[in-house]
Amino acid sequence: MPNWCLNNVTFRGKKEDVVKMFESVGCKFNGKTFESDKPITMRSFIPMPQTFEDYDTTNRKKDVREFGSVEEYEKYSKGYDDAVKYQKETYGCVGWYYYNIMTLGTKWDSELVGLNCSIRGDEMIVYCDIDTAWDAPIEWVREMSRKYSGINIELEGIEPGYGFRVHIVCEDDEDLEFERTEYEDEDYRDEDEFDDKA
């Protein structure tokens, strides 16, 4: 079970640019907020290449004893080896775990929750929460700023278990602000310390 980093994310830009960004992942703007028939996650915006879905190269290569025949194993083994080579040459890493660390900054994909909008003239601001495993999705914020020019993205993350706070602001593939500091919350207690009271 991971420690969870609690993140608030703000997207700020021209209304037409922000709407276009969310529409690109299947959201509809109803004049007040965004709606979607499916969960919107970090990977909705920055998809994972199919090669990482097809072969679990994060984990060890399976043993021949795990297959019904040598022929099955040889087919699997060649595919696995080809995938490792392709992933390393194309993406600079091997396995979904390392690709997530490289492009999200955290172990798993997570959902954007509670999309709230504010419109001021031709500017739109969208607020949401994202809970991520072990660390804040810093690399995702950077990837988003590369992909969606003109959108200012700000993230404030707190991980009370390990006790750190992250603040980053990116726009047009540039860190405008970045800070990682210690965080102490006197109200935070480890799960094991909670009293079991009826």
Side-chain angles (χ1 to χ4, degrees):
M1 178 98 178
N3 282 11
W4 291 101
C5 189
L6 313 176
N7 307 286
N8 302 118
V9 183
T10 305
F11 303 93
R12 180 181 281 107
K14 288 183 181 176
K15 179 182 173 184
E16 61 190 64
D17 293 338
V18 176
V19 168
K20 187 176 177 181
M21 180 181 75
F22 280 96
E23 284 181 343
S24 74
V25 297
C27 287
K28 291 185 176 73
F29 183 60
N30 66 14
K32 294 183 179 178
T33 190
F34 291 98
E35 299 173 343
S36 177
D37 296 335
K38 60 182 182 180
I40 301 302
T41 71
M42 294 188 293
R43 283 275 173 240
S44 300
F45 297 94
I46 312 290
M48 178 176 284
Q50 192 61 41
T51 181
F52 297 108
E53 303 281 353
D54 291 342
Y55 281 91
D56 182 8
T57 51
T58 294
N59 292 303
R60 68 165 181 81
K61 188 175 178 179
K62 292 179 183 175
D63 189 86
V64 67
R65 292 170 292 183
E66 298 177 60
F67 292 83
S69 69
V70 172
E71 291 79 18
E72 283 180 48
Y73 170 73
E74 286 176 349
K75 183 179 177 184
Y76 158 79
S77 180
K78 182 177 183 334
Y80 185 97
D81 292 344
D82 289 348
V84 165
K85 182 179 178 190
Y86 175 76
Q87 291 170 11
K88 190 167 189 178
E89 289 175 354
T90 308
Y91 301 104
C93 68
V94 175
W96 63 264
Y97 172 82
Y98 296 101
Y99 189 75
N100 278 350
I101 297 300
M102 190 171 73
T103 59
L104 301 180
T106 184
K107 184 176 182 179
W108 294 301
D109 189 15
S110 292
E111 185 178 354
L112 281 67
V113 178
L115 293 173
N116 294 306
C117 301
S118 172
I119 300 170
R120 299 172 188 162
D122 68 347
E123 182 185 62
M124 176 180 273
I125 304 169
V126 178
Y127 309 91
C128 69
D129 297 323
I130 309 174
D131 292 349
T132 52
W134 304 113
D135 206 346
I138 297 163
E139 296 308 321
W140 179 74
V141 170
R142 290 175 174 149
E143 290 283 331
M144 290 287 286
S145 80
R146 289 183 195 109
K147 186 171 182 178
Y148 298 101
S149 62
I151 308 289
N152 180 285
I153 306 168
E154 181 174 5
L155 176 141
E156 182 78 32
I158 295 172
E159 207 288 64
Y162 283 124
F164 66 82
R165 177 189 304 269
V166 174
H167 180 249
I168 185 169
V169 180
C170 288
E171 188 173 340
D172 297 330
D173 196 15
E174 183 181 348
D175 285 11
L176 303 179
E177 296 176 35
F178 179 74
E179 184 178 37
R180 183 184 289 266
T181 56
E182 288 185 17
Y183 169 77
E184 282 189 40
D185 183 353
E186 293 177 6
D187 296 329
Y188 178 78
R189 293 185 296 165
D190 193 278
E191 237 175 60
D192 296 336
E193 294 176 8
F194 281 106
D195 296 326
D196 215 4
K197 296 180 181 175

